[in-house]
Amino acid sequence: MTINLKVWRQKNSKTTGNLETYEVKGVSEDMSFLEMFDVLNEQLVSEGKEPIAFDHDCREGICGMCSMYINGRPHGPLQGVTTCQLHMRSFKDGDTIVVEPWRATAFPVIKDLVVDRSAFDRIIASGGFVSVNTGNAQDGNSLPVPKNEADKAFSAAACIGCGACVAACKNASAMLFVSAKVSQLALLPQGQAERQDRALNMVAQMDTEGFGSCTNTGACAAECPKEISLENIARLNREYLGASITK
């Protein structure tokens, strides 16, 4: 296939960016979207031009690095799929594809399609953990957890922190991400000791980072590659309200 790309190029967060057009020939339908970008970058390097900067790591749909806004949708047109798992068979010969970085104040552009998502790291550092100050962790089987609660916690823990929820939200809210990280620990016995502080601190850090407010339109869950449920946002609201009253 021959694919026409319109890719956002931006030197850094202080410069003005623009869309540049590229033609990529010889694209196999079995290539992933990132492999197609590898072909484009090899083409640019051979022409003496600067390659396009984009985030990638495991390319297995686990790490959450592949943050591309493709034709107006985070991670592209497919449901429950990361950019690295999106294959070129989802497009047609001669298609024009527009690729942009995540758009959020809290995710400043570093270069081209790479954005700074360290805001998520700071939110996790504010409370998304269980403190173990001494000794070894208890054996998992020694703490009985109801199957229903374990399933909910596991589903919340599937969040890979890619930021697609922020990119999809009209307010650039991080509520789905934060709610998933709060939920996975609030539902388990290990997370109870710091449950109230966790909800208060992580929401406060989210606001400090400049993420917008949630208006429950559901775009975040619709575009999440791991299909994190909106139920987690409802749980976060309950956790936060309860902690605000009792702390």
Side-chain angles (χ1 to χ4, degrees):
M1 297 188 295
T2 296
I3 298 295
N4 300 303
L5 290 176
K6 291 185 176 180
V7 183
W8 186 261
R9 303 301 304 266
Q10 187 171 342
K11 189 174 181 180
N12 53 54
S13 59
K14 297 180 180 179
T15 59
T16 302
N18 62 282
L19 288 169
E20 294 189 6
T21 303
Y22 303 98
E23 184 181 66
V24 188
K25 296 182 178 180
V27 176
S28 167
E29 63 177 14
D30 295 322
M31 285 181 178
S32 72
F33 201 82
L34 296 189
E35 287 172 331
M36 182 271 296
F37 258 82
D38 291 337
V39 172
L40 171 58
N41 276 343
E42 289 176 3
Q43 176 181 312
L44 292 175
V45 170
S46 66
E47 295 172 356
K49 299 177 181 178
E50 189 171 6
I52 298 166
F54 63 94
D55 267 332
H56 62 98
D57 192 1
C58 74
R59 301 200 179 197
E60 295 177 349
I62 305 171
C63 69
M65 290 292 287
C66 51
S67 51
M68 291 186 185
Y69 213 79
I70 303 167
N71 283 346
R73 294 185 64 180
H75 294 299
L78 301 184
Q79 191 79 17
V81 170
T82 56
T83 301
C84 63
Q85 294 176 309
L86 176 67
H87 288 82
M88 298 311 297
R89 67 178 71 96
S90 299
F91 304 95
K92 298 178 181 178
D93 183 29
D95 274 359
T96 296
I97 305 173
V98 180
V99 186
E100 300 172 88
W102 289 168
R103 301 293 189 183
T105 301
F107 288 161
V109 174
I110 297 176
K111 185 176 181 180
D112 297 338
L113 303 176
V114 180
V115 298
D116 182 357
R117 286 175 290 177
S118 58
F120 273 9
D121 297 329
R122 291 188 289 273
I123 291 174
I124 292 295
S126 70
F129 53 85
V130 174
S131 295
V132 180
N133 297 320
T134 185
N136 295 326
Q138 287 182 284
D139 183 83
N141 294 325
S142 68
L143 297 172
V145 182
K147 178 66 164 57
N148 184 48
E149 299 296 286
D151 288 345
K152 290 179 181 178
F154 187 84
S155 295
C159 170
I160 57 177
C162 66
C165 51
V166 176
C169 179
K170 62 182 181 180
N171 299 327
S173 172
M175 279 290 282
L176 192 67
F177 166 76
V178 175
S179 68
K181 298 306 178 184
V182 166
S183 291
Q184 71 183 62
L185 296 174
L187 289 164
L188 298 175
Q190 296 94 328
Q192 299 309 303
E194 298 163 299
R195 185 173 178 175
Q196 293 180 332
D197 288 336
R198 179 180 300 112
L200 294 173
N201 293 341
M202 292 183 73
V203 170
Q205 187 63 40
M206 175 180 67
D207 292 340
T208 300
E209 296 295 341
F211 292 104
S213 299
C214 175
T215 49
N216 293 314
T217 56
C220 53
E223 299 294 354
C224 175
K226 296 303 174 183
E227 300 181 321
I228 304 298
S229 173
L230 284 175
E231 291 179 2
N232 291 299
I233 293 181
R235 184 177 296 106
L236 173 59
N237 286 333
R238 293 193 297 270
E239 292 287 324
Y240 183 80
L241 178 60
S244 299
I245 293 172
T246 58
K247 284 291 289 185

